[in-house]
Amino acid sequence: MSVSELRRLGAWVGTSVWWVAQAAIAGPVSFVDVTTTCGIGSYTSAIGQGCGIAAADYDGDGDIDIFVPTREGLPDQLYQNDGAGNFTDVAAAVGLASMENHRIALWLDYDGDHDLDLVTAACRTGAAAAPSRTLSLFRNDGATFADVTASAGFGGLLDEDHLGGMCAGDIDNDGFVDLLVVYWRGPTFLFKNNGDGTFTDIAASSGIDIDTLSWQPVMHDFNGDGWMDIFSAIDVGPNMLWINQGGGVFVDVAASAGVDSAWNEMGVAVGDPDNDGDLDLYVTNIDWLGFGIGIQHNLFLRNDSVGPTLSFTEVSLANGTAHGYWGWGATFIDADNDGWQDLAETNGYTPDSAFWTDPSKFFSNAGVLPLSFVDDSVAAGMNDTDWGSGLVSFDMDRDGDLDLLQVCQAGPLRMRENVSSELPGAPPNNWLVIQPRMRGTNHFAIGAEVRVTANGRTTSRLISAGMSFMAQEPAEAHFGLAGAHAATQVVVEWPRGIGQTVLSNVGANQVVVVEPPCPTDFDGDLVTGINDLSVLLFGFGQAVPAGTAGDVNGDGFVDLADLSLLLFAFGSGCP
């Protein structure tokens, strides 16, 4: 038995037989560097403190591609995936080989046409020359991308010199994805998507235009009221948790929620490693405590909220995830598909600092409560001593386990393939991927929350655009199912408070696309209109099999209740 397994076994002592039975199906975790063999070439990061990556299925073929922003004078890279985890740089061929000092990129469907467009962000920090513009928007036209920056209102330069992060989500519930851009030196910009191909900065009127040292933000409906909120990691100042009041107004409740620590917060991971069905935060810092010369360290903010009353408790010292050197990117990842999310974190700083050769971290979830992690960085192969920046997890070869992609500030761009299931004695753990997809303009369901119940536990995942550190993970939710051959239940909570979709007994080892219901659209044109009203009136007053066209509420009768629901939705499109 390995040292890692012995440590896990020790953590199980004193727990119930049921918990031991569940945790025993965990296996050792191992990643192998396949950067060169998978086709990823040389990489030079942009000038500045940190750079990112954006992973998404931009061409809609079912596998995950990678956009890589690079240094000025060098072309950006777009690695197209062949489905088996082999990548080819097609940036020049599709019109995305810009040579600005790009540090961040984000995939989003800005025009609601159900394909992914790209926003890139450049800056003139350090020795970098001033770019011709800060933000660029490229519309996905199928085989190529069109530069629509000027028409979108992004032309020119935001008068700031050090980007901090980007994220996206529908903040006003109009169905179009909006964009948040923050600066490490400078103000915040909140670009409202007007739905006509243009954006308007509403940061001032929204109340979030505070000049801070901002790093990575994330959007999520933290209090469950149907409106997207914003958590922003702040360097040398209190973090901010902006709660959406509706009407484009936000109020900071970080202090009352317990997330307002004022250290050197930089990266943010969102996940549910304790399997209690709500989403916790992991926020990276400079770990002075680990050096014995300060008190600050990485933060594990456990979500203890009750209903809309937000409350987080810092538990990193208790669960073993506090120490991560000079932390940047982080991601929750169920690397062995045992049903418990592990945690990967990358770190480092300049050659003249004490943090230059510090190793990246991989914390294995012991699979017991109260939650505890074991530092398995060496055994997992996640212990490089580069200055790591952006870090994301996704299944590059669709073999059912999550791989890791890491940006290193002085190079390289490193792809780590997850080979845990191939190790001798590895348990035959199962998995499930849920892809929520809406019929309307927010097709990729940014802001949706997915919950899966299996093995008697319920765990949650967020569908996001922008996380970790200057990075983006695909709009899909990966779940390890351990030994279960099906998920007992899958629940998708849709954005905008439009409700949920519930599926039962969903088989393991597959990618499942889930769409929200549209019970008033009988003719399939995705709009509740006169044809649908005619169908209902034709069957009015009749008993019908439940779910028949006209029976909106599924009670087996076409009656006034169904007519009221249809009239309420009349003229609207399906979500």
Side-chain angles (χ1 to χ4, degrees), residues 112-426:
D113 65 351
H114 294 195
D115 58 24
L116 285 169
D117 313 295
L118 184 71
V119 174
T120 59
C123 62
R124 60 172 178 267
T125 183
S132 60
R133 60 197 181 197
T134 300
L135 294 181
S136 298
L137 177 61
F138 300 93
R139 186 185 64 221
N140 189 338
D141 287 340
T144 60
F145 288 78
D147 188 339
V148 294
T149 305
S151 61
F154 286 155
L157 187 70
L158 301 180
D159 190 21
E160 311 301 332
D161 66 354
H162 201 293
L163 286 158
M166 291 198 302
C167 67
D170 180 8
I171 59 142
D172 52 3
N173 286 346
D174 66 351
F176 287 93
V177 177
D178 310 294
L179 177 68
L180 177 68
V181 183
V182 302
Y183 278 80
W184 183 67
R185 288 197 296 262
T188 293
F189 295 85
L190 180 57
F191 291 104
K192 170 181 163 48
N193 188 332
N194 299 316
D196 59 0
T198 67
F199 291 80
T200 301
D201 179 22
I202 62 167
S205 61
S206 71
I208 68 172
D209 62 333
I210 297 177
D211 194 331
T212 60
L213 297 176
S214 298
W215 286 122
Q216 183 61 43
V218 296
M219 286 193 189
H220 167 51
D221 180 8
F222 283 92
N223 62 356
D225 66 352
W227 295 87
M228 292 286 277
D229 311 305
I230 300 167
F231 174 82
S232 188
I234 307 297
D235 193 0
V236 197
N239 300 323
M240 295 180 178
L241 179 54
W242 298 102
I243 299 302
N244 194 333
Q245 308 297 300
V249 176
F250 291 80
V251 173
D252 181 19
V253 301
S256 62
V259 298
D260 63 331
S261 107
W263 292 345
N264 297 104
E265 283 80 353
M266 290 173 282
V268 184
V270 180
D272 185 17
D274 52 2
N275 290 335
D276 64 352
D278 58 28
L279 294 169
D280 309 303
L281 299 173
Y282 186 74
V283 187
T284 59
N285 266 274
I286 304 174
D287 179 24
W288 291 118
L289 179 62
F291 274 77
I293 56 176
I295 63 170
Q296 70 183 57
H297 48 78
N298 287 354
L299 302 175
F300 193 114
L301 300 171
R302 186 185 67 209
N303 191 340
D304 294 330
S305 303
V306 178
T309 303
L310 297 177
S311 178
F312 290 81
T313 305
E314 207 293 287
V315 294
S316 65
L317 288 169
N319 69 26
T321 59
H323 300 308
Y325 306 110
W326 194 306
W328 298 96
T331 180
F332 284 111
I333 168 176
D334 185 355
D336 51 4
N337 284 333
D338 67 346
W340 296 87
Q341 281 188 306
D342 311 297
L343 177 63
E345 183 253 19
T346 191
N347 54 69
Y349 199 51
T350 58
D352 59 349
S353 75
F355 298 90
W356 176 241
T357 59
D358 292 325
S360 294
K361 289 287 188 177
F362 184 87
F363 299 103
S364 291
N365 192 328
V368 295
L369 296 175
L371 198 63
S372 65
F373 291 82
V374 175
D375 186 344
D376 277 337
S377 307
V378 175
M382 183 64 186
N383 64 328
D384 64 275
T385 56
D386 297 306
W387 174 1
S389 180
L391 180 70
V392 295
S393 60
F394 63 94
D395 187 356
M396 72 167 187
D397 46 8
R398 286 297 186 208
D399 64 351
D401 54 29
L402 290 171
D403 311 294
L404 288 169
L405 181 64
Q406 174 194 24
V407 171
C408 298
Q409 193 61 15
L413 176 68
R414 180 181 287 114
M415 175 65 76
R416 287 184 167 96
E417 181 182 4
N418 189 342
V419 297
S420 304
S421 63
E422 302 171 20
L423 298 176

Side-chain angles (χ1 to χ4, degrees), residues 219-221 270 279 447-450 460-464 467 476:
M219 286 193 189
H220 167 51
D221 180 8
V270 180
L279 294 169
E449 190 172 340
V450 184
S460 186
R461 305 285 186 269
L462 175 65
I463 305 300
S464 66
M467 200 180 291
E476 60 185 39

Side-chain angles (χ1 to χ4, degrees), residues 170 173-175 226-228 438 441-442 494-499 574-575:
D170 180 8
N173 286 346
D174 66 351
W227 295 87
M228 292 286 277
M438 301 175 77
T441 47
N442 183 11
W494 299 102
R496 296 163 43 201
I498 64 173
C574 292

Side-chain angles (χ1 to χ4, degrees), residues 65-158:
D65 313 294
I66 311 160
F67 182 83
V68 186
T70 61
R71 181 171 298 218
E72 63 173 313
L74 297 174
D76 290 334
Q77 301 167 338
L78 174 60
Y79 286 105
Q80 189 177 52
N81 194 335
D82 71 350
N86 301 305
F87 295 91
T88 302
D89 185 3
V90 298
V94 302
L96 291 179
S98 168
M99 293 192 182
E100 300 281 12
N101 191 58
H102 280 144
R103 296 179 57 220
I104 316 175
L106 206 64
W107 296 102
L108 74 168
D109 182 8
Y110 89 100
D111 52 3
D113 65 351
H114 294 195
D115 58 24
L116 285 169
D117 313 295
L118 184 71
V119 174
T120 59
C123 62
R124 60 172 178 267
T125 183
S132 60
R133 60 197 181 197
T134 300
L135 294 181
S136 298
L137 177 61
F138 300 93
R139 186 185 64 221
N140 189 338
D141 287 340
T144 60
F145 288 78
D147 188 339
V148 294
T149 305
S151 61
F154 286 155
L157 187 70
L158 301 180

